[in-house]
Amino acid sequence: MTNVIEIVNLKKTYSSSHGMHSALKDVSLTVPEGCIYGIIGLSGAGKSTLVRCINGIESKTGGSVKVLGQEVGDLGANGLKSLRRNIGMVFQQFNLMPSRTVIQNVLLPLRGTSVPRGERKVKAERLLELVGLERYADAYPSQLSGGQQQRVAIARALANDPQILLCDEATSALDPDTTKTILDLLVKLNREYGLTVIVVTHQMDVVKTICTDVSVIDQGRIVEQGSVYKIFADPESSLAKRFVESSTGLNRILSLIDSGSSAIGLDEGERLIHMQYVDKKVSEALVSEITKRFGLTVNIVYGSLEIIENYPLGGIIAKFVGSGHGVEESIDWLRSKGIKVDDLTPRFGSKAEADAKKEKGDD
């Protein structure tokens, strides 16, 4: 499979009044042709700098950035102009011209191109039909909703028939329902037109909804990358774990435990176990099997089911009640079945120890 983007050991350093600042530190990633690729990180992680290096707005300090087989840093003004025609850009704030109509906004990228004047309007109308806005051609951006404005921005980004669509926080300013319609449109463009879509975001829900692969960037470094299913099933970096816990709702349960909430408590002999699929092939009735095989009582505290890359990804937090030997055997059996198992019981001990210290004034 051809890679449309190949980045190796990319560095970007800025000079400021406070000294040198490294925005990107040895970033390496590849984006295969025809995929929907996610780049996720917190604000200030380096996502925007990475985007600007990909389209040549920012020059690199070191490393290599190849887009469509061309080393971006080696291109002159004309070369960069040509490359950017192959990279459609969609931004958080839409960036539409308020004094121009919807169709005039879509026509803007076609100025100065080889597309004959007589064909430009036809092409713009076709693009508006593609994004479902053909009846708003003569409206102005201020007359449209946020989601409609973003659809205009997508139509405009497609005007030069790009091979890559780069979406920089394209849904961050939209409500959940509108976000879904935009994500559905991006999937349609990818599947029906073979467009490679790169989604730069801080929203894990966006990544899990449409992306197949993802890189996690933290303080200018790629800390984890791989398939979206793998990242959700078995995150390794602390940042990826935080993103996944927030997206799945696990963070709410952990917060209740750590706060000592009465909503979750353990009696003598009980263990709190988190079970999660880490294999796409796992589809076994866990609770009934554990009860039958090991003579345990299993009380579910929390459960979730996600569909990632069209495969189920499930997670359960449950209280295990029974002999210590039986619990340990059940954990070994679960792991042999491709289940990731975390014993959350020590978190209760940590909370109790912290409370005891406070009472003694040791803090």
Side-chain angles (χ1 to χ4, degrees):
M1 182 179 291
T2 304
N3 293 321
V4 295
I5 294 177
E6 297 177 325
I7 298 175
V8 181
N9 297 331
L10 173 62
K11 301 179 182 67
K12 179 60 184 179
T13 303
Y14 294 102
S15 177
S16 70
S17 58
H18 300 289
M20 303 302 290
H21 169 66
S22 294
L24 297 174
K25 308 165 187 174
D26 290 314
V27 169
S28 296
L29 62 87
T30 57
V31 179
E33 182 179 17
C35 75
I36 303 180
Y37 194 99
I39 299 173
I40 187 168
L42 301 173
S43 297
K47 303 189 301 297
S48 295
T49 302
L50 180 56
V51 168
R52 291 195 294 269
C53 287
I54 289 173
N55 62 21
I57 293 176
E58 291 279 1
S59 59
K60 66 189 179 185
T61 303
S64 172
V65 181
K66 286 186 178 180
V67 179
L68 300 173
Q70 302 177 84
E71 182 65 53
V72 177
D74 294 342
L75 298 175
N78 289 335
L80 281 174
K81 187 175 181 181
S82 176
L83 177 66
R84 287 171 187 154
R85 287 200 182 105
N86 274 308
I87 306 175
M89 288 289 302
V90 184
F91 303 93
Q92 178 179 351
Q93 297 301 331
F94 322 136
N95 292 354
L96 300 177
M97 297 286 287
S99 61
R100 295 177 183 265
T101 64
V102 165
I103 196 166
Q104 286 171 342
N105 269 278
V106 178
L107 284 166
L108 278 174
L110 295 174
R111 295 171 60 184
T113 68
S114 59
V115 179
R117 283 184 176 274
E119 295 179 16
R120 294 177 189 176
K121 186 177 180 184
V122 174
K123 186 171 189 178
E125 289 172 341
R126 179 177 59 80
L127 289 170
L128 287 176
E129 184 178 356
L130 176 63
V131 300
L133 291 177
E134 61 271 23
R135 63 194 181 99
Y136 294 97
D138 297 321
Y140 287 89
S142 62
Q143 297 173 301
L144 304 181
S145 68
Q148 289 170 330
Q149 290 186 62
Q150 194 59 292
R151 285 173 175 267
V152 176
I154 291 172
R156 180 186 59 189
L158 299 175
N160 283 311
D161 301 315
Q163 294 175 251
I164 300 169
L165 184 63
L166 188 48
C167 303
D168 189 6
E169 298 283 7
T171 60
S172 295
L174 305 176
D175 63 74
D177 288 342
T178 306
T179 292
K180 183 181 183 305
T181 64
I182 296 299
L183 296 182
D184 288 344
L185 175 58
L186 295 178
V187 171
K188 176 182 177 180
L189 295 173
N190 170 258
R191 291 179 179 173
E192 297 184 12
Y193 298 91
L195 191 65
T196 302
V197 181
I198 300 172
V199 179
V200 180
T201 183
H202 66 274
Q203 299 170 308
M204 199 62 169
D205 283 345
V206 170
V207 170
K208 77 179 180 184
T209 300
I210 67 170
C211 297
T212 54
D213 295 274
V214 62
S215 285
V216 182
I217 186 169
D218 187 19
Q219 297 181 356
R221 297 185 186 277
I222 300 294
V223 294
E224 192 163 354
Q225 55 187 220
S227 74
V228 171
Y229 191 95
K230 197 277 181 187
I231 298 295
F232 264 84
D234 193 19
E236 296 176 359
S237 66
S238 59
L239 181 58
K241 288 177 182 177
R242 284 165 55 196
F243 276 131
V244 170
E245 288 173 1
S246 177
S247 177
T248 60
L250 178 61
N251 64 326
R252 295 194 293 271
I253 301 300
L254 297 179
S255 294
L256 287 174
I257 294 172
D258 293 339
S259 67
S261 171
S262 58
I264 299 180
L266 289 182
D267 293 328
E268 188 71 27
E270 291 183 336
R271 301 267 292 276
L272 191 67
I273 304 297
H274 179 213
M275 301 167 280
Q276 189 170 19
Y277 299 157
V278 293
D279 189 332
K280 292 179 179 178
K281 297 178 182 178
V282 173
S283 59
E284 202 162 343
L286 300 179
V287 173
S288 60
E289 280 294 314
I290 293 168
T291 301
K292 183 167 58 178
R293 285 173 178 268
F294 304 102
L296 303 177
T297 299
V298 180
N299 298 316
I300 296 175
V301 174
Y302 165 83
S304 68
L305 179 66
E306 306 274 357
I307 303 297
I308 309 290
E309 297 181 46
N310 294 320
Y311 288 94
L313 177 62
I316 295 172
I317 295 178
K319 292 180 180 180
F320 282 32
V321 185
S323 70
H325 180 69
V327 173
E328 292 301 328
E329 283 192 330
S330 70
I331 290 174
D332 290 340
W333 177 80
L334 286 167
R335 287 173 174 156
S336 74
K337 292 292 183 179
I339 307 297
K340 181 184 178 183
V341 181
D342 290 318
D343 188 350
L344 302 180
T345 311
R347 297 181 81 114
F348 288 89
S350 298
K351 176 65 172 58
E353 291 169 9
D355 289 344
K357 284 185 178 180
K358 285 181 181 179
E359 288 180 9
K360 293 179 180 179
D362 292 345
D363 284 355

